[in-house]
């Protein structure tokens, strides 16, 4: 996957980043095994419901309705959370959110926090921001723990350590656990039960000691101010209930208007993500309750590019995402490239449309992500909220090629003329000229037909990367128009 495809940025970061992964047989085997297993189980779980299509449509509608009236529902949520004893903070971007969380932790006098698995806090780099201020954040989700101990990066939404096999996890536990707390038991093997037990013992002392918990949330209910976290291990529930202070950092798109709306998502999310009929642990909390759970609750509502995404009529559908990861598990590009090549906490098809919108297309990686797809459409078929990812990919490709990177100027996001893509833009200008000059087009077609035996099999220059993996279409001996005129529309039966 090296080289430059026509239409891709001049220095395509995704193909370069994916290069090592596609040539790593262990990684590819891990990914193939994991994604194929999950995708088959998901298909079975979905097939059990005769009204899956209706649920999917209901999910799409609820999300679209909420996004259309997001301002209203967020204010309602703030009112509900405040009335229930919580405090709401608004964070414009990552720096803002990190500053708010850091100050809240400092105010408690603590220097460590336990974390529930949270993509929003990874998106803003919270752990690193806290570390700079001398506060240690402990990941407690098993896969996130593996990633943290291995000084690694997550590569999957649901299974962040999907790129690791059991032997690698055993080695990480053996060598790293002791640096973070209780060491791995002597003689630890790579059996799942032993690995889980090692993690349980290691984490238990952190749960019992921690006085501050940090979480995200899968949903927030505007009418009651309730936050919901779904998970499979129970570690999240420990973080949500044991500490005295709970700080939740949640993207503004996670709000839903009513409790009733959860009826849809609590069916579609578990079946799409873990292929379960319901999540083993569904934790819900509304503000604070005397004698039960944290005594202080803060909700940090995170924008960080979401309102810019909302302003894009085509791209905004990406904000419907409920992070089930079904699109990753069916994506042929993700299966081969792995998650790290996407350069973001959001890998796979949803990452390819979300990251360039949240971060803009000004960087090499973000400008290349809309091209990290074969547009096969498998992601759209499995998405439980019907996000037409291929449509958004094509839309973003157009933005990258035509308009150049999106950059912020004051309060506005504008498109800056692209430096790359000169060849493609010149080709498009030439095509436009030809299609608006029929005589020249006809002459060009005839010339191409007459010289077709001389045509090269591959394109020169930057086009070589494109024709290196595709057959150039053969030019016919006669154009359709000429054939039509010569045969009077085929009436004489001529060929
Ligand atoms: S885009 Fe759809 S399929 Fe992919 S993670 Fe989001 S909700 Fe799931």
């Amino acid at each position: 996957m090296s080289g430059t495809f026509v239409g891709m940025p001049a220095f395509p970061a995704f193909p370069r980043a994916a290069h090592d992964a596609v040539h790593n047989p262990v990684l590819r085997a891990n990914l193939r095994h994991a994604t194929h297993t999950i995708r088959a189980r998901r298909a079975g779980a979905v097939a059990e419901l005769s009204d899956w299509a209706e649920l999917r449509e209901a999910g799409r509608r609820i999300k679209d309705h909420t996004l259309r009236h997001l301002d209203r529902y967020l204010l309602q949520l703030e009112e509900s959370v405040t009335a229930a004893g919580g405090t709401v903070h608004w964070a414009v971007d990552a720096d803002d959110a990190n500053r708010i969380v850091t100050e809240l932790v400092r105010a408690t006098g603590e220097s460590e926090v336990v974390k529930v698995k949270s993509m929003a806090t990874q998106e803003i780099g919270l752990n690193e921001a806290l570390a700079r201020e001398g506060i240690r954040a402990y990941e407690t989700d098993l896969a996130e723990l593996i990633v943290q101990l291995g000084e690694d990066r997550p590569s999957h939404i649901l299974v962040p350590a999907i790129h690791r096999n059991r032997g690698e996890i055993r080695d990480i536990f053996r060598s790293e656990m002791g640096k973070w707390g209780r060491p791995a038991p002597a003689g630890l093997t790579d059996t799942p039960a032993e690995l889980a037990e090692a993690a349980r013992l290691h984490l238990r002392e952190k749960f019992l000691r921690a006085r501050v918990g940090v979480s995200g949330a899968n949903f927030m209910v505007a009418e009651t101010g309730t936050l919901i976290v779904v998970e499979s291990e129970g570690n999240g529930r420990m973080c949500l209930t044991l500490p005295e202070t709970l700080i939740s950092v949640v993207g503004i798109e996670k709000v839903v208007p009513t409790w009733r709306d959860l009826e849809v998502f609590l069916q579609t999310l578990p079946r799409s993500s873990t292929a379960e009929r319901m999540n083993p642990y569904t934790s819900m909390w509304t503000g604070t309750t005397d004698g039960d759970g944290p005594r202080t609750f803060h909700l940090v509502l995170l924008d960080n590019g979401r309102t810019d995404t909302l302003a894009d009529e085509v791209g905004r559908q990406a904000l419907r995402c409920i992070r089930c990861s079904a699109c990753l598990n069916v994506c042929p590009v993700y299966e081969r490239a792995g998650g790290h090549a996407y350069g973001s906490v959001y890998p796979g098809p949803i990452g390819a449309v979300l990251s360039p919108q949240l971060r803009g297309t000004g960087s090499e990686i973000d400008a290349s992500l809309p091209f990290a797809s074969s547009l096969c459409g498998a992601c759209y078929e499995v998405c439980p909220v019907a996000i037409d990812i291929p449509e958004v990919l094509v839309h973003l490709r157009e933005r990258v090629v035509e308009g150049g990177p999106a950059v912020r100027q004051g309060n506005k996001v504008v498109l800056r003329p692209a430096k790359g893509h000169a060849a493609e833009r010149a080709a498009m200008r030439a095509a436009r000229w030809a299609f608006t000059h029929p005589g020249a087009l006809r002459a060009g077609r005839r010339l191409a037909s007459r010289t077709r035996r001389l045509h090269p099999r591959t394109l020169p220059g930057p086009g070589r990367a494109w024709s290196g993996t595709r057959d150039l279409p053969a030019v016919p001996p006669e154009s359709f128009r000429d054939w039509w005129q010569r045969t009077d529309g085929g009436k004489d039966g001529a060929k």
Side-chain angles (χ1 to χ4, degrees):
M1 282 184 67
S2 60
T4 308
F5 292 99
V6 172
M8 287 189 87
F11 301 103
F14 181 83
R16 241 190 358 249
H19 182 267
D20 289 348
V22 296
H23 290 95
N24 180 338
V26 176
L27 176 65
R28 287 191 56 173
N30 291 353
L31 282 171
R32 185 180 159 75
H33 174 72
T35 55
H36 282 244
T37 305
I38 303 173
R39 92 165 65 154
R41 290 179 53 210
R42 175 213 158 265
V46 166
E48 285 181 353
L49 292 183
S50 58
D51 61 347
W52 180 259
E54 287 81 4
L55 281 169
R56 184 179 190 239
E57 177 60 12
R60 184 189 70 76
R61 280 172 186 250
I62 292 167
K63 284 283 183 179
D64 278 353
H65 167 83
T66 315
L67 291 170
R68 219 170 22 249
H69 305 285
L70 193 58
D71 51 346
R72 171 149 62 87
Y73 287 121
L74 286 172
L75 290 175
Q76 188 186 5
L77 175 76
E78 180 182 34
E79 214 172 284
S80 307
V81 170
T82 308
T87 307
V88 175
H89 309 258
W90 299 82
V92 173
D93 55 23
D95 288 346
D96 210 15
N98 287 331
R99 179 188 53 75
I100 292 168
V101 177
T102 306
E103 285 173 6
L104 290 172
V105 178
R106 271 219 203 101
T108 65
E110 295 295 312
S111 59
E112 58 181 35
V113 301
V114 284
K115 283 186 68 204
V116 186
K117 180 176 182 297
S118 153
M119 308 218 66
T121 58
Q122 286 171 358
E123 176 190 321
I124 62 175
L126 179 64
N127 290 8
E128 295 76 12
L130 290 174
R132 284 194 291 276
E133 300 299 323
I135 300 165
R136 209 163 196 199
Y138 297 114
E139 296 291 349
T140 64
D141 173 85
L142 176 56
E144 290 291 355
L145 174 69
I146 295 164
V147 168
Q148 185 173 48
L149 293 178
E151 293 184 19
D152 202 352
R153 284 178 293 133
S155 66
H156 190 276
I157 289 177
L158 185 72
V159 198
I162 197 170
H163 54 287
R164 298 286 195 190
N165 60 31
R166 285 191 277 148
E168 291 174 297
I169 295 167
R170 176 205 54 212
D171 295 344
I172 290 170
F173 279 11
R174 277 186 186 167
S175 64
E176 303 301 319
M177 262 184 175
K179 298 177 190 165
W180 288 77
R182 182 176 175 138
L188 178 71
T189 71
D190 66 355
T191 58
E194 281 197 34
L195 294 174
E197 177 66 1
R200 196 181 72 81
L201 293 170
H202 178 80
L203 290 172
R204 186 56 58 109
E205 63 170 22
K206 295 192 167 28
F207 290 135
L208 295 176
R209 197 175 62 214
R211 298 180 57 170
V212 181
V214 174
S215 84
N218 295 93
F219 306 100
M220 306 181 285
V221 180
E223 68 175 354
T224 57
T226 307
L227 272 73
I228 295 101
V229 163
V230 296
E231 41 131 7
S232 299
E233 298 169 3
N235 292 347
R237 180 164 293 177
M238 302 276 244
C239 295
L240 295 168
T241 52
L242 291 176
E244 289 168 11
T245 300
L246 175 60
I247 304 166
S248 300
V249 183
V250 190
I252 53 175
E253 82 283 16
K254 294 291 181 71
V255 67
V256 293
T258 68
W259 262 91
R260 182 108 198 250
D261 300 322
L262 296 177
E263 173 192 342
V264 173
F265 299 116
L266 293 184
Q267 291 186 76
T268 52
L269 179 54
R271 286 177 193 265
S272 296
S273 55
T274 49
E276 289 166 311
R277 291 175 184 143
M278 64 181 289
N279 287 98
Y281 292 88
T282 301
S283 300
M284 302 179 170
W285 69 101
T286 307
T288 55
T289 306
D290 281 344
D292 184 11
R295 276 182 286 178
T296 310
F297 169 55
H298 295 275
L299 170 59
V300 182
L301 290 172
L302 178 70
D303 184 328
N304 205 32
R306 285 159 174 80
T307 46
D308 290 341
T309 306
L310 195 59
D312 186 314
E313 285 184 18
V314 178
R316 68 172 63 138
Q317 57 185 304
L319 295 177
R320 283 188 220 137
C321 178
I322 55 173
R323 314 278 190 264
C324 72
S325 77
C327 57
L328 278 65
N329 300 328
V330 296
C331 178
V333 176
Y334 175 85
E335 184 186 321
R336 287 157 182 82
H340 291 155
Y342 292 80
S344 151
V345 64
Y346 304 111
I350 184 59
V353 294
L354 199 54
S355 303
Q357 295 198 86
L358 294 180
R359 304 192 298 206
T361 49
S363 72
E364 190 183 28
I365 180 69
D366 289 318
S368 70
L369 284 177
F371 301 89
S373 168
S374 65
L375 300 181
C376 71
C379 48
Y380 172 56
E381 272 177 38
V382 297
C383 178
V385 282
I387 299 171
D388 192 341
I389 292 177
E391 182 189 25
V392 184
L393 286 167
V394 171
H395 173 68
L396 292 174
R397 288 180 185 188
E398 193 180 313
R399 181 194 283 184
V400 171
V401 172
E402 298 255 327
V407 291
R408 180 173 285 283
Q409 283 184 359
N411 290 329
K412 280 201 215 144
V413 172
V414 296
L415 297 178
R416 192 175 60 198
K419 288 191 190 126
H421 322 303
E424 185 171 12
R425 281 206 306 281
M428 288 298 153
R429 270 201 297 274
R432 184 169 56 197
W433 183 87
F435 285 122
T436 51
H437 294 79
L441 181 63
R442 203 160 40 243
R445 266 199 320 254
R446 285 184 183 150
L447 180 65
S449 290
R450 284 185 196 135
T451 59
R452 67 199 185 96
R453 291 188 202 290
L454 305 174
H455 294 176
R457 305 293 299 166
T458 56
L459 291 173
R464 190 175 295 127
W466 190 87
S467 57
T469 53
R470 296 166 177 84
D471 292 333
L472 280 180
V475 176
E478 183 180 34
S479 75
F480 175 77
R481 276 170 181 267
D482 287 347
W483 171 85
W484 186 270
Q485 277 176 353
R486 181 170 61 76
T487 63
D488 193 16
K491 281 185 191 148
D492 61 0
K495 298 213 168 160

